[in-house]
Amino acid sequence: MLALVVAGVALTLVTGPSLTPPLDVLRVLAGQEVPGAGFAVLDLRLPRATLSILAGMSFGLGGAVFQTLLRNALASPDIIGISAGASAAAVLAIVVLGWSGAAVSLLAVAAGLLVALLIFGLAWRDGLAGARLILIGIGISAMLDSMIAYVLSRAPAWSLQDALRWLTGSVNGATLGQVWPLALALMLLGGVLLLRRANLEALRLGDDAAAALGVPIAREKLVTVMAAVGLIAVATAVAGPVSFVAFLSGPIARRIAGAGRSPLIAAALVGALLVLLGDYVGQHLLPARYPVGVVTGALGAPYLIYLIILSHRTGRPA
Amino acid sequence: MMAAGAPRAAVVALRRRRRGRVATLAGVGAMLALACVLSVSLGTRSVGWADIGAGLLGRTDTMAQAVVAVRVPRTLLACLAGAALGLAGAVMQGITRNPLADPGILGVNAGAAMAVVIGIAWFGMATLSAFIWTAILGAGAAACFVYVIGSLGPGGATPLKMALAGAATTIATSSFTVAILLPRNDIAGGVRSWQVGGVGGAAFDAMLPCLPVLAAGLVLCLMSARGLNLLAMGDDAAAGLGAGIARTRALAALGAVLLCGATTAICGPIGFVGLVVPHLCRLLVGVDHRWLLPFSALTGAILLILSDVAGRIVARPSEMDVGIVTAFLGAPVFIWIVRRRRVRDL
């Protein structure tokens, strides 16, 4: 997996409108001046690749945690409205309040947590039922999506590129300044999640089994959900709600990691790879340039349908 | 005496119920008229009653009269679209016996919008009647797709599976819609209008080609009321009572698809009207589809007109698309319905 991610980064750094020889790329990265290549590699492609990886890892980790905790492959944060909450807050902050930078990220995190609490609270009736949670999440995200659409409709007409970032997710125009808050969040929150991956696996077996294994259920659930929501929200504040990455990473990673082993690290790598490759396909392989979210959205929808069909055949609840 | 008295009491009760429904019908009709008056008189710009009268008579000498002349077709379009969506929602909930069915949630409107966008971008379609037929095609394809996906496997078409299939289809179709529109700067200005529905910019001649389609959909839906009543008892019971289940379903679904397709072709995708209205009407007139369907049409018209008026007032000095207003009104209702039901029924 790691090798694939490195290969993806290399591909992103080498190709662009003009091909840079790999040797030149290495010399630029080593700090040498290479005429004609320095700007493209250091200022355009490197931030883009870094942002793709970090955002993809955050989405992948957060999504896998949600899917594990709720024991439902469909309960990923982009379907149940948490990305939409962070996205709506970020759009409001940028378009209406005129904020930028870390303040936007903080607000997005707060809004993501708030929406998560709201969905969990509304879905709570004698315990938390996955089906109700998902349906309420669909309702909430429909509402938030229309709020995003409304705020964008009041934004100036020339900012279509920005608008699409908040509708589908995009890493266009990435700068190294955007990368830092995300890297920090990934190190802190991702670290928290990875340290707890044994407990998460225990929780996946069900509350009773986890309690029998000595896991303090309520505290673990609270900590992991907060950390996952925080990760998703920061990544959304920077790259927009890149469709379906959080949703796709978990099941793929579980297949790679095999049963019984924690898929979290694999999920982060799969997420990074999805965003990197999605962005590469959107930039270079298609006749027109698309933001990465459009590519992952088109990839993810057939997979979701496949998952529904599969869950019917095996008789497990979707 | 007892034997004679009991049926008579039943007949009296039935008559009283019918009279109650007729009274409700009159009330709803009055509400619709009031909503139309509000829609013509209220808006971003305040207009005096004298100007409204003059504008209604077709004079456009002053700014105010011209404003009224624009609001009249807009009101009519909201009325038509709301009625079509409300009726389509009631029929879909009847066909699928699914309380969460709605042309927006099940992805039917998004499918129609994508079909129109494909038609414009790849085949250079420009006429409205072409839009309408393409939209109907897209709506029909999306409806079949979602129904098949949602009813696969054990348990049949449960509300959860249908809603998930619809959500997936919506995300997929809107992703494709963006993908098609993005590189086309000539038509990309319309990206938003195919993602959020609105009734602004309505004109009489744009509505004309839709009328026969809407009328056909209306007739098909209303004709299927008796069949939907039988379907409500379950497929086996309905078959036992002599209903052609497949034929009833197909005809009613065709009617609903015609209504959704034609509406989406003019207004863009508008969600949640078809979800909210039938639930409201069931509280008013009960579960008999012969009453439920016409009431849903009328109430849908009222809801969409009032939503449009609200969208104009809330966001002064600009406007809020009616699709956004209905999502804000409808999503809480959706959540309320989900919360009220037991997990087993989802």
Side-chain angles (χ1 to χ4, degrees):
Chain A
M1 287 303 298
L2 207 57
L4 273 177
V5 173
V6 171
V9 173
L11 198 64
T12 315
L13 289 182
V14 171
T15 48
S18 64
L19 209 68
T20 314
L23 213 61
D24 281 359
V25 172
L26 282 179
R27 277 165 54 200
V28 170
L29 290 181
Q32 294 179 23
E33 287 283 329
V34 179
F39 174 72
V41 173
L42 264 190
D43 289 345
L44 296 181
R45 294 177 201 164
L46 187 63
R48 191 176 187 120
T50 323
L51 183 62
S52 298
I53 290 177
L54 292 178
M57 287 177 87
S58 307
F59 284 127
L61 256 179
V65 167
F66 263 87
Q67 288 162 334
T68 310
L69 266 186
L70 297 171
R71 292 194 285 150
N72 190 326
L74 293 169
S76 91
D78 38 8
I79 292 182
I80 65 171
I82 287 158
S83 315
S87 193
V91 168
L92 259 182
I94 293 172
V95 174
V96 179
L97 305 175
W99 293 5
S100 62
V104 176
S105 297
L106 282 179
L107 190 71
V109 173
L113 284 172
L114 204 68
V115 168
L117 281 178
L118 185 70
I119 293 170
F120 279 67
L122 284 171
W124 189 277
R125 213 183 70 176
D126 311 329
L128 204 61
R132 197 183 286 132
L133 186 94
I134 296 168
L135 284 172
I136 285 178
I138 290 177
I140 296 260
S141 68
M143 210 160 145
L144 289 168
D145 281 342
S146 61
M147 192 180 125
I148 296 171
Y150 173 64
V151 173
L152 288 179
S153 75
R154 318 211 45 186
W158 64 80
S159 56
L160 187 68
Q161 197 58 251
D162 274 351
L164 283 164
R165 162 170 303 181
W166 296 111
L167 289 174
T168 63
S170 155
V171 290
N172 283 353
T175 60
L176 279 178
Q178 291 175 310
V179 167
W180 291 120
L182 186 55
L184 202 67
L186 189 64
M187 263 182 344
L188 277 176
L189 301 172
V192 168
L193 289 174
L194 286 181
L195 283 178
R196 284 164 195 276
R197 60 182 190 273
N199 284 351
L200 264 174
E201 278 305 287
L203 280 173
R204 196 168 69 88
L205 301 173
D207 287 0
D208 297 341
L213 287 168
V215 177
I217 297 179
R219 202 188 73 198
E220 284 303 301
K221 275 191 175 170
L222 191 70
V223 170
T224 42
V225 164
M226 300 278 264
V229 170
L231 263 185
I232 295 280
V234 176
T236 307
V238 180
V242 184
S243 327
F244 279 146
V245 171
F247 164 69
L248 284 169
S249 304
I252 297 178
R254 198 164 278 285
R255 199 151 296 177
I256 294 173
R261 274 197 282 153
S262 170
L264 287 192
I265 295 175
L269 292 179
V270 171
L273 202 61
L274 276 174
V275 177
L276 262 182
L277 291 187
D279 189 43
Y280 187 81
V281 169
Q283 286 298 303
H284 305 304
L285 298 188
L286 296 176
R289 292 187 156 209
Y290 293 108
V292 55
V294 171
V295 179
T296 53
L299 271 177
Y303 185 77
L304 174 54
I305 287 158
Y306 164 75
L307 202 72
I308 293 174
I309 295 173
L310 196 74
S311 76
H312 294 339
R313 203 177 298 146
T314 54
R316 276 184 290 115
Chain B
M1 221 175 115
M2 282 301 289
R8 192 174 301 153
V11 167
V12 168
L14 258 180
R15 277 212 192 112
R16 192 175 297 150
R17 202 150 163 220
R18 167 160 295 187
R19 211 174 299 147
R21 281 170 173 164
V22 171
T24 319
L25 187 65
V28 170
M31 286 270 294
L32 181 58
L34 184 68
C36 290
V37 171
L38 283 179
S39 171
V40 173
S41 55
L42 292 177
T44 306
R45 170 184 276 271
S46 314
V47 177
W49 289 105
D51 285 322
I52 290 175
L56 283 178
L57 294 174
R59 284 173 45 197
T60 50
D61 304 336
T62 69
M63 190 65 143
Q65 289 165 3
V67 166
V68 173
V70 173
R71 281 184 199 161
V72 172
R74 180 173 185 161
T75 306
L76 189 67
L77 178 59
C79 183
L80 286 177
L85 290 172
L87 185 57
V91 168
M92 284 182 171
Q93 291 180 7
I95 297 174
T96 55
R97 285 198 293 272
N98 178 342
L100 298 180
D102 166 80
I105 291 165
L106 293 189
V108 175
N109 290 348
M114 183 180 81
V116 175
V117 167
I118 288 179
I120 297 173
W122 294 352
F123 302 107
M125 274 182 351
T127 65
L128 198 73
S129 58
F131 286 0
I132 293 170
W133 290 112
T134 323
I136 289 168
L137 211 65
C144 293
F145 186 68
V146 169
Y147 190 73
V148 168
I149 299 268
S151 54
L152 279 172
T158 64
L160 174 67
K161 280 197 269 178
M162 293 286 274
L164 276 173
T169 313
T170 306
I171 296 178
T173 47
S174 29
S175 229
F176 280 122
T177 306
V178 172
I180 294 166
L181 284 174
L182 203 53
R184 297 287 302 268
N185 276 327
D186 48 334
I187 50 177
V191 169
R192 271 197 66 260
S193 66
W194 291 111
Q195 284 179 331
V196 180
V199 291
F204 283 120
D205 46 343
M207 278 181 263
L208 270 181
C210 290
L211 288 180
V213 180
L214 287 177
L218 180 79
V219 170
L220 274 176
C221 285
L222 291 182
M223 266 175 27
S224 62
R226 200 176 284 270
L228 288 177
N229 277 345
L230 292 176
L231 277 181
M233 293 186 277
D235 283 4
D236 296 340
L241 288 167
I245 299 179
R247 203 172 54 102
T248 308
R249 277 221 169 94
L251 282 181
L254 179 65
V257 163
L258 286 178
L259 291 175
C260 298
T263 308
T264 307
I266 344 177
C267 307
I270 298 177
F272 288 106
V273 175
L275 175 87
V276 175
V277 163
H279 284 276
L280 194 66
C281 291
R282 255 179 238 122
L283 293 178
L284 284 177
V285 296
V287 294
D288 184 349
H289 281 89
R290 286 171 302 172
W291 287 91
L292 183 62
L293 295 186
F295 266 95
S296 292
L298 286 177
T299 317
I302 297 174
L303 181 71
L304 202 64
I305 294 174
L306 290 184
S307 301
D308 185 37
V309 174
R312 283 183 243 161
I313 294 174
V314 170
R316 272 179 182 171
S318 88
E319 293 187 357
M320 193 186 269
D321 282 320
V322 70
I324 294 171
V325 181
T326 57
F328 266 87
L329 291 177
V333 177
F334 179 89
I335 290 167
W336 173 69
I337 298 167
V338 172
R339 263 182 73 78
R340 225 178 34 149
R341 293 175 70 82
R342 282 166 305 176
V343 177
R344 200 148 39 84
D345 301 337
L346 294 173

